[in-house]
Amino acid sequence: MSMDQMCVATYRCYDDKADFDKKALGIAVGLTVGSWTELPEARKAEMEKHLGKVVSVTVHESKTGAAGERYADIRIAYPEINFSRDIPALLVTVFGKLSMDGKIKLLDLDFSPNFVSAFPGPKFGIEGVRELLGVQDRPLLMSIFKSVIGHDLEGLREQFYRQALGGVDLIKDDEILFENPLTPLEKRVETCMEAARLAERETGQKLLYAVNLTGPTANLAANAKRAIAAGANALLFNVLAYGYDALHMLSSDPEINVPIAAHPALAGAFYPSPHYGIAAPLLLGKLMRLAGADLVLFPSPYGSVVMPKEENLAVQAALIDPALPVKASMPVPSAGIHPGLVPLILRDFGQQVVVNAGGGIHGHPQGTAAGGQAFRQAILAALEGTSLPEYASRPGNEALQAAIQLWGFKE
Amino acid sequence: MSMDQMCVATYRCYDDKADFDKKALGIAVGLTVGSWTELPEARKAEMEKHLGKVVSVTVHESKTGAAGERYADIRIAYPEINFSRDIPALLVTVFGKLSMDGKIKLLDLDFSPNFVSAFPGPKFGIEGVRELLGVQDRPLLMSIFKSVIGHDLEGLREQFYRQALGGVDLIKDDEILFENPLTPLEKRVETCMEAARLAERETGQKLLYAVNLTGPTANLAANAKRAIAAGANALLFNVLAYGYDALHMLSSDPEINVPIAAHPALAGAFYPSPHYGIAAPLLLGKLMRLAGADLVLFPSPYGSVVMPKEENLAVQAALIDPALPVKASMPVPSAGIHPGLVPLILRDFGQQVVVNAGGGIHGHPQGTAAGGQAFRQAILAALEGTSLPEYASRPGNEALQAAIQLWGFKE
């Protein structure tokens, strides 16, 4: 079996005294053909193509002192012939039973060309989203609804309009807004898209509204199509609550022809432990992209929902890595973002990024619309390399001035 | 809002110095109405019914010494009016964003009567599975296929037949056997059910074959129906790879009229960390049952895939707790089980349990059929309160004799 026909899983495995080479071999055999050494030679010839292979075992002996723990990074290649070309099958194969076998974390997956060819990936990706918006030359700006539970359509319309007036490119539903009698899906879409059209007359700017796609698994595709028929031009989806395959199902449906933004809800149940779970760059990066997310929200390094910066950057890298033969997903680092952080965000993430804010827009002293404007001004400042205070002092940039007075800034 | 109309989440939250009461209030407000104190009084009256409530905060100050960590168990009630009656909506509400907010683990969920009424629960449950098998008076015995990847239908038939001859009640597919050209779903079902009928002539005993239900989310129900049309009388399902709602969809489909066994694949990505994730009794107990699993496999306290015994028993307790108004799910503690452990298993779990073995059946010195027989003999011994060595010494119980010679026993 050529390595080209195998998917490779990378694990980090902690153990004070294990023989990691033996453990790796146990995984490679145990999760594929089950047993090997006792097979008759003739049978081995037949079974060879199903046998997992140990690619590498890198042992890190414990450092002196209490902090050090002995661990190994283990790479195992699994023949693609053993599983169907879907994410549940791959995850169950490489981390089904193994996830329960001691201190072990799934760090990464490399897909075989044949496996990956079953995934169309994001329909729009970074370029497609930019084309829809007609914005090529600057980072995008996304605004998050503030409180929406218990609000009626009129309240939603007003909040949407104020956000849109600020010049944001995308507005996303709160991920905890579900089907409800006050703002049911289609009415919500119609109301918000109408507010978007009104605002466009003022701003001259297009806008995507990512409405939260919820409900039973069996109705997701139909709900998406209902939303689209009502005018929705983007969807928000809590991927991990439904499984990656549900996202794959939606993204590969030709009738669901709008960008899908993946929300990281529940991700903290998987990635933060050093010893267990699935690493963020795989969980929120590679697998979200493979499953077809056009935009992916993930914790920013700036807010209270903290992820170490190197992990943030690794999520971003996975979303845009040219080695994966599907479109790149737009990175959306989220939480704790105010206009004063924009130069830092652009330095950390480059221009292929969505600057995403909730409190940093709604909490602006001059109101929500000024909040969006302050961000747009901060983006322009950063792009021309002007310091925020200097840019803010120019006439017309009072919104940015007020923002950095309130929240400060980082250069 | 009465507590009867709220779902309550219990969290364990670690922090050296946090004001846990403040944190709890932040959760109750932040994950429901968003903000509260700044609302005008008239608005508060309208929003009250959407507002989360802090039920309790129990702070455990850190013990002296390095091992102790300061933590609090926090219970928050969420108005059911805020989310739709499905598990993704509930999980995203109570642990979507919050899962990423520091060291916090979701321990438990209590459902409101109205929420739970949307879930028919297991179609068969413990009683229904027993009725199908016609076995009321003893624990059930399940056998796991050994290696199946790379085997053809003839190999599968032979292995199935030998397991069935041993007198097992259920045989489950390997959870890593997917749709494949050697043993495609319908052929596999036909072949194994034919072997079951042949064995029944010898044993006089009924048998359930849980065939692994796999493939794209959108095809799961159709695949289940194909399997049933081909003769399948049970299904195995890797619930966590697809999300609980997929299980709910299958279990509430009237045409899927066979028991569903939930496999815990990927569970180790959620439950083992003390600081993050979802506790096993909720993950593998309460939610599996609510979503409709008739049988639930979970790590036993006896094998290499270890879970502390109190956690095992808490999973079992959640599967059979009479407080949840749906049928009880049959507990299937799995891994590391040989006939010598049967008295211990019955003491730990009682009689409403499936004794589930792989290596403990296939590894029997006299072969697979003798492996099953040894378990059945051990079960009879335990039920009549006879020690295993004594029971094994009686004529006809040579299979048990050989098993305890190889693996030992615990009384």
Side-chain angles (χ1 to χ4, degrees), chain A residues 33 96 99 147 217 242 245 266 268, chain B residues 33 96 99 147 217 242 245 266 268 270:
Chain A
V33 297
S99 72
S147 343
T217 303
Y242 292 93
D245 195 69
L266 299 174
Chain B
V33 298
S99 72
S147 347
T217 303
Y242 292 93
D245 195 68
L266 300 173
F270 293 90

Side-chain angles (χ1 to χ4, degrees), chain A residues 92-236:
Chain A
V92 167
T93 296
V94 309
F95 206 48
K97 202 180 289 178
L98 189 59
S99 72
M100 294 177 274
D101 190 14
K103 287 186 177 170
I104 187 162
K105 184 167 181 173
L106 179 62
L107 296 188
D108 199 11
L109 287 169
D110 292 308
F111 316 117
S112 64
N114 181 48
F115 183 86
V116 89
S117 71
F119 296 84
K123 243 189 217 106
F124 296 85
I126 292 179
E127 285 181 28
V129 169
R130 284 192 173 285
E131 263 170 46
L132 287 175
L133 291 167
V135 177
Q136 301 296 343
D137 53 353
R138 60 167 174 82
L140 301 177
L141 177 60
M142 179 187 284
S143 174
I144 306 170
F145 269 104
K146 197 185 170 190
S147 343
V148 285
I149 285 180
H151 290 236
D152 60 13
L153 288 168
E154 198 40 57
L156 224 61
R157 181 206 312 271
E158 201 187 305
Q159 200 189 134
F160 191 99
Y161 182 70
R162 280 183 281 124
Q163 292 174 86
L165 270 191
V168 304
D169 302 296
L170 304 104
I171 297 179
K172 70 168 267 292
D173 261 359
D174 197 335
E175 78 278 2
I176 56 169
L177 184 63
F178 301 98
E179 193 57 21
N180 73 90
L182 285 174
T183 53
L185 181 68
E186 283 151 301
K187 294 276 181 212
R188 191 156 92 235
V189 168
E190 285 163 13
T191 301
C192 290
M193 293 310 294
E194 192 184 298
R197 280 187 295 274
L198 280 177
E200 191 179 342
R201 287 191 211 155
E202 303 291 320
T203 63
Q205 182 186 328
K206 284 181 189 144
L207 191 153
L208 294 175
Y209 165 47
V211 65
N212 197 20
L213 179 61
T214 68
T217 303
N219 301 354
L220 287 172
N223 286 350
K225 290 166 198 176
R226 278 203 296 130
I228 292 166
N233 59 6
L235 300 167
L236 178 72

